[in-house]
Amino acid sequence: MAIYEKHMASIIPIDPASSSLQSPIALLREVRDVMTTGPGTAQARLDLLVQTIATTLSADVCSIYLARPGDILELYASHGLKASAVHVTRLRVGEGLVGEVAATGLDLNLTEPQEHPKYVYRPETGEELYHSFIAVPLLHSHKTVGVLVVQSKASRVYANDLAEVLHAVAMVVSELVIGSRIVDLFDITGGEHPMLQSQQLSGQTLSGGIAKAPVVLHRPKIDITDLVSESPEEEEIRFHEALLSLQRSVDTLITEAGLEEGSAHREILESYRLFSQDRGWIDRIIEAIHTGLTAEAAVRKVQEEMHARLSQITSAYIQERVHDLEDLSERLLYHLQGMEPTAALGVLPESFILVANSLGPAELLEYDAKGLSGVILAEGTHTSHVAIIARMMDIPMVGRVEPILSVVSPGDLAIVQGDQGLIYIRPPEDVEAAADAEIAARARQVAVYAASRALPPETKDGERISLNLNLGLFVHAEHLAAADVDGVGLFRTELPYLASRELPSVSDQQRIYRDAIEKARGKRVVFRSFDIGGDKQVPYIQVGQEENPALGWRATRIALDRPVILRQQLRAMVRAAAGEKLSVMFPFIAEIAEFDAMKALLLKELGKARDEGITPPTEVRVGTMLEIPSLLFQLPELMSRVDFISIGSNDLFQFLFACDRGSPRVGGRYDVLNPIVMRTVKTIADAARDYKVDLGFCGDMATRPLEAMALLACGIRSLSMPPSAIGPVKAMLRTLNVRDLATYLDYVCTEPVHSIRLPLERFAKDHGVEVG
């Protein structure tokens, strides 16, 4: 592809006519044999290695510098430089010619190196005698682990094919140096090797709970053990077969997506296909194979070189293309080794903890919920949809654990403490025992909650609280059948959209909605129209890049701009509710006109059903989410139009404080137990009471007993939450006198403090309220 060829053109091409090396494959085999079966210590093998390379290349000097802690490069072995300089000469990364190669990840091929502005004289080496210099980086996992240097007394520029061969030698040396632990990727950053010790890591709570199980990597690690080929011809055949398989998989992806010609998403996939057919990329890999590398090693070599060169370019577009080529290289390696691209397609243990860099909702749903015990992500935010689904599935999940993929191996025992945002990898015995005790205690508590399901959800002073479920793809009849559950307060209809590569059909949506209604057995199910966009992207609606996606084109805004999609969904709801009650709720309403427009489309679908002779719902109730602060200034007009309202705290409160909840810097800056929040909720509750409008609350606050307690004091009498939160919240409210708390809340909210969490905790302790 042009963008790749343009920025990779400066990589020296092979010129067989100028070659002074007759057998690069033989050299690679010698390098491999010296490093794997050579005599004596690692130092002895490195000494023999530099001698072998120098002799084969007819060079006066061959030296290897290896990375040490503190961004230091140490002369580890040399043939030609003074022996006394070995382990004495040290350069900082970026210092001298060797340091420059390490800093940039790019090779240098110079005549008269002393004249280069980066040259640094080290008298102990005796290198002033040499007038030719070529150095290539030893790259591994996008890190420079050393530098390979060849020098000669004669003043000349080394042949182009020699540079290519040295890159291949460097590839083999770097893999073997890392594999033999001569250099440790973590040692060069000053830390201990994480694979040899227990690890305690902290991250962001995405879903509460605790789990202990062996690790499964979402994308399995690819270990390249065979670096040097026995037959370049056979390796090239393997490469072409794997490449063809990769290209076919991309073609299948495009076909199955069912996208129209010219659509933005199809263009993205077409660009991806072009990458897989790029001659510059393919030819580089074939050239590396011809130097004696296996197909896998050749792909990895080109991947490392590409990353080193293109990462120097600051263009955001180029960096996106680097990511695409990285992903393509990894996929090609999966095809070469016959591996599935994700663990979901392979054989899984009965119980496991999934580890991934990031995870989409559809990818999470590929895993069997029975075996999936917990999830650890290097990325992820509390408000991402995959986190919401994890909470609905009652799966502990911790995100923002950035180093996780570098410290964990498949099969490692892991503990996920979702409530604290803590991760333990290869835990010591005392930590493992404590986790077992906590898991057992939680099981006993769940049994206590189950035993009290028949008790009414009433406060000590007789206030009956409606407890409802937040559900989506998974509707378990036993959850809805519980005596203390009144119904579904929020059915997230966008989950089928997120789990599909194409727009779900009316019949598919109708089946999902009808299943929920039937399992509810007369209990209310509130269907929220789709809330896609923002962090919930789907391939068939191209939102594009937005600076503030949470404030951008999403939910109702998409629905009104693409009314056909909304009407198909409403049609499915109307048909699914034939002969039953139907409750529809619209999200992300900013003004009354938007609610009126959405309701008008629902009325059209009801009229269409009537005209077509379809049995209508017995009752239709229409409501809205209140999650945009502008509605606070339109409450009288809103209350006169709706049958019910549900407060969506996740968006409402981040907009109130102009604070991105997904930001690791400011996400926890403001406490939801702030007097401003309490006054806001109370204002809405008072208006709903005056207008006799049903009011519910379906945000995350409702899932935590202390915060749910505060909501009850503000006047909320209906809460919606995941099934796992019902027991703790019910235990809280049955030990609460809500009138006493309301009086106390009025008092503590008179001061403009950052948080009233501590006063509420004291109230709960003093009055025996169970808040966990």
Side-chain angles (χ1 to χ4, degrees):
M1 186 170 161
I3 195 72
Y4 176 84
E5 293 172 346
K6 176 181 177 181
H7 293 284
M8 294 297 286
S10 56
I11 293 179
I12 302 171
I14 291 179
D15 181 6
S18 65
S19 176
S20 61
L21 179 64
Q22 299 302 315
S23 181
I25 298 175
L27 174 59
L28 284 187
R29 290 173 181 167
E30 283 192 74
V31 169
R32 176 196 61 191
D33 293 343
V34 167
M35 292 296 291
T36 55
T37 62
T41 64
Q43 181 65 56
R45 291 195 295 274
L46 285 175
D47 292 339
L48 180 57
L49 176 66
V50 292
Q51 179 184 342
T52 299
I53 295 173
T55 301
T56 303
L57 300 181
S58 301
D60 296 310
V61 174
C62 178
S63 304
I64 290 178
Y65 293 78
L66 295 181
R68 310 307 298 154
D71 283 340
I72 296 294
L73 294 159
E74 180 180 320
L75 179 60
Y76 237 75
S78 182
H79 174 83
L81 297 183
K82 292 180 180 179
S84 59
V86 174
H87 297 303
V88 173
T89 297
R90 289 187 162 206
L91 296 163
R92 289 197 170 277
V93 172
E95 180 186 13
L97 300 178
V98 172
E100 178 71 4
V101 172
T104 63
L106 306 176
D107 57 283
L108 280 177
N109 189 357
L110 304 171
T111 182
E112 303 302 337
Q114 296 88 346
E115 298 176 3
H116 193 280
K118 279 286 187 177
Y119 178 79
V120 172
Y121 179 53
R122 287 287 187 268
E124 71 272 13
T125 65
E127 64 180 350
E128 67 273 11
L129 300 175
Y130 306 103
H131 299 278
S132 300
F133 176 97
I134 184 169
V136 297
L138 306 181
L139 300 172
H140 191 282
S141 299
H142 303 332
K143 295 180 177 68
T144 301
V145 299
V147 178
L148 174 66
V149 181
V150 170
Q151 295 170 274
S152 294
K153 292 180 180 178
S155 179
R156 59 175 175 142
V157 175
Y158 285 101
N160 293 343
D161 65 327
L162 180 61
E164 187 68 21
V165 169
L166 284 178
H167 275 290
V169 170
M171 166 69 191
V172 176
V173 172
S174 63
E175 290 288 339
L176 295 176
V177 160
I178 293 295
S180 61
R181 299 283 306 282
I182 298 174
V183 171
D184 193 302
L185 286 177
F186 298 90
D187 186 44
I188 62 178
T189 63
E192 296 182 70
H193 196 293
M195 299 298 186
L196 303 180
Q197 58 181 343
S198 297
Q199 292 285 321
Q200 177 182 334
L201 304 170
S202 61
Q204 183 182 27
T205 296
L206 304 186
S207 178
I210 184 170
K212 187 187 81 168
V215 162
V216 166
L217 298 180
H218 174 57
R219 290 191 179 277
K221 289 182 179 178
I222 301 172
D223 294 321
I224 301 176
T225 54
D226 294 327
L227 302 170
V228 181
S229 72
E230 299 300 325
S231 171
E233 293 78 13
E234 291 181 5
E235 291 301 310
E236 186 174 351
I237 291 172
R238 288 183 61 237
F239 166 69
H240 281 296
E241 288 175 347
L243 180 64
L244 180 60
S245 176
L246 171 66
Q247 292 169 343
R248 284 173 175 167
S249 70
V250 175
D251 290 341
T252 300
L253 184 63
I254 294 173
T255 302
E256 289 183 351
L259 302 172
E260 296 180 1
E261 292 287 344
S263 69
H265 189 61
R266 185 180 181 103
E267 288 179 2
I268 292 172
L269 292 177
E270 292 286 3
S271 297
Y272 197 78
R273 175 156 59 187
L274 287 176
F275 273 120
S276 72
Q277 298 170 348
D278 173 43
R279 288 310 312 175
W281 179 61
I282 293 170
D283 288 346
R284 282 286 157 197
I285 296 173
I286 293 174
E287 288 170 358
I289 290 173
H290 287 171
T291 65
L293 295 176
T294 61
E296 289 91 341
V299 172
R300 185 70 84 204
K301 169 183 175 290
V302 172
Q303 181 185 22
E304 293 285 358
E305 291 175 356
M306 171 205 69
H307 185 276
R309 185 165 296 273
L310 297 189
S311 62
Q312 307 295 315
I313 303 169
T314 58
S315 163
Y317 175 76
I318 295 296
Q319 292 310 308
E320 288 177 9
R321 302 291 76 75
V322 170
H323 178 77
D324 289 342
L325 282 167
E326 290 266 320
D327 185 57
L328 200 66
S329 297
E330 291 298 314
R331 288 178 179 270
L332 179 54
L333 288 171
Y334 286 128
H335 284 272
L336 275 167
Q337 297 201 342
M339 297 172 61
E340 297 290 358
T342 71
L345 303 175
V347 178
L348 294 168
E350 290 185 5
S351 176
F352 61 93
I353 288 173
L354 189 67
V355 175
N357 182 60
S358 61
L359 207 60
E363 291 175 306
L364 179 63
L365 294 171
E366 288 180 345
Y367 290 91
D368 183 355
K370 293 182 179 179
L372 182 58
S373 300
V375 180
I376 308 171
L377 299 179
E379 300 177 359
T381 64
H382 187 269
T383 54
S384 65
H385 224 70
V386 72
I388 293 171
I389 292 175
R391 292 194 289 274
M392 291 173 55
M393 296 171 68
D394 198 21
I395 295 173
M397 177 183 284
V398 176
R400 299 281 181 184
V401 190
E402 294 182 3
I404 184 61
L405 290 171
S406 61
V407 302
V408 71
S409 296
D412 282 345
L413 184 65
I415 295 172
V416 178
Q417 287 189 319
D419 297 319
Q420 292 81 29
L422 292 177
I423 300 297
Y424 295 92
I425 305 297
R426 298 175 295 276
E429 291 184 2
D430 58 336
V431 172
E432 187 177 347
D436 289 338
E438 184 176 349
I439 290 170
R442 284 174 178 258
R444 289 192 296 271
Q445 187 63 61
V446 168
V448 171
Y449 293 149
S452 66
R453 296 307 294 260
L455 298 175
E458 289 183 359
T459 64
K460 288 174 67 176
D461 50 339
E463 289 281 349
R464 209 272 182 187
I465 309 300
S466 177
L467 299 181
N468 300 272
L469 300 179
N470 292 342
L471 298 177
L473 283 177
F474 305 101
V475 179
H476 298 291
E478 62 271 21
H479 291 154
L480 276 169
D484 52 3
V485 170
D486 288 342
V488 179
L490 172 62
F491 190 97
R492 302 178 189 272
T493 64
E494 64 270 14
L495 295 189
Y497 290 76
L498 293 166
S500 176
R501 289 181 178 173
E502 56 188 8
L503 183 68
S505 66
V506 172
S507 59
D508 285 342
Q509 294 182 72
Q510 179 181 342
R511 176 179 48 78
I512 293 171
Y513 306 151
R514 185 68 188 183
D515 178 65
I517 291 171
E518 289 178 348
K519 287 180 178 176
R521 296 191 175 184
K523 294 183 178 181
R524 186 176 72 155
V525 179
V526 177
F527 294 103
R528 182 180 69 182
S529 61
F530 61 76
D531 183 4
I532 52 180
D535 70 325
K536 308 159 196 164
Q537 300 288 332
V538 293
Y540 39 85
I541 300 177
Q542 283 304 300
V543 176
Q545 292 293 324
E546 295 182 305
E547 287 196 18
N548 298 294
L551 301 174
W553 196 51
R554 54 175 284 205
T556 287
R557 295 167 183 176
I558 292 177
L560 292 177
D561 290 349
R562 300 287 186 271
V564 172
I565 299 175
L566 176 64
R567 289 196 63 174
Q568 288 178 345
Q569 182 180 54
L570 297 176
R571 190 174 306 148
M573 291 180 186
V574 170
R575 294 180 179 182
E580 303 283 352
K581 295 179 180 180
L582 174 63
S583 295
V584 180
M585 179 166 63
F586 302 128
F588 216 64
I589 297 291
E591 59 180 4
I592 301 300
E594 288 179 336
F595 175 81
D596 290 343
M598 294 286 281
K599 184 175 180 180
L601 292 174
L602 173 59
L603 294 176
K604 285 185 178 181
E605 285 304 320
L606 288 167
K608 177 180 174 64
R610 184 174 56 254
D611 294 343
E612 294 177 356
I614 295 173
T615 303
T618 57
E619 178 186 11
V620 178
R621 302 177 80 247
V622 186
T624 182
M625 297 278 288
L626 202 161
E627 49 194 340
I628 298 180
S630 58
L631 281 186
L632 296 174
F633 302 94
Q634 307 169 71
L635 287 178
E637 296 86 354
L638 179 66
M639 295 293 176
S640 64
R641 284 169 163 81
V642 298
D643 297 310
F644 63 93
I645 288 176
S646 187
I647 298 175
S649 62
N650 296 354
D651 274 333
L652 178 60
F653 299 147
Q654 76 166 337
F655 296 155
L656 274 176
F657 292 109
C659 177
D660 180 1
R661 286 168 55 88
S663 167
R665 287 192 174 184
V666 301
R669 188 179 186 90
Y670 302 100
D671 192 345
V672 292
L673 290 178
N674 181 296
I676 296 170
V677 174
M678 299 297 99
R679 291 171 195 159
T680 300
V681 174
K682 193 172 188 306
T683 297
I684 300 169
D686 289 346
R689 184 184 63 251
D690 292 344
Y691 281 86
K692 295 182 173 53
V693 170
D694 290 341
L695 175 64
F697 195 103
C698 63
D700 280 345
M701 281 184 70
T703 69
R704 296 183 284 269
L706 183 69
E707 292 163 19
M709 182 183 82
L711 294 175
L712 299 182
C714 291
I716 300 296
R717 292 296 180 266
S718 178
L719 301 170
S720 190
M721 63 200 72
S724 61
I726 293 287
V729 170
K730 181 180 171 183
M732 174 275 297
L733 67 89
R734 285 186 56 82
T735 56
L736 171 70
N737 185 308
V738 73
R739 293 186 181 90
D740 289 348
L741 177 60
T743 302
Y744 181 70
L745 188 69
D746 288 341
Y747 167 72
V748 297
C749 285
T750 56
E751 296 294 327
V753 294
H754 172 73
S755 172
I756 59 169
R757 186 172 295 274
L758 285 177
L760 288 176
E761 288 175 347
R762 285 196 297 266
F763 178 93
K765 182 178 180 180
D766 293 343
H767 293 79
V769 183
E770 294 184 21
V771 293

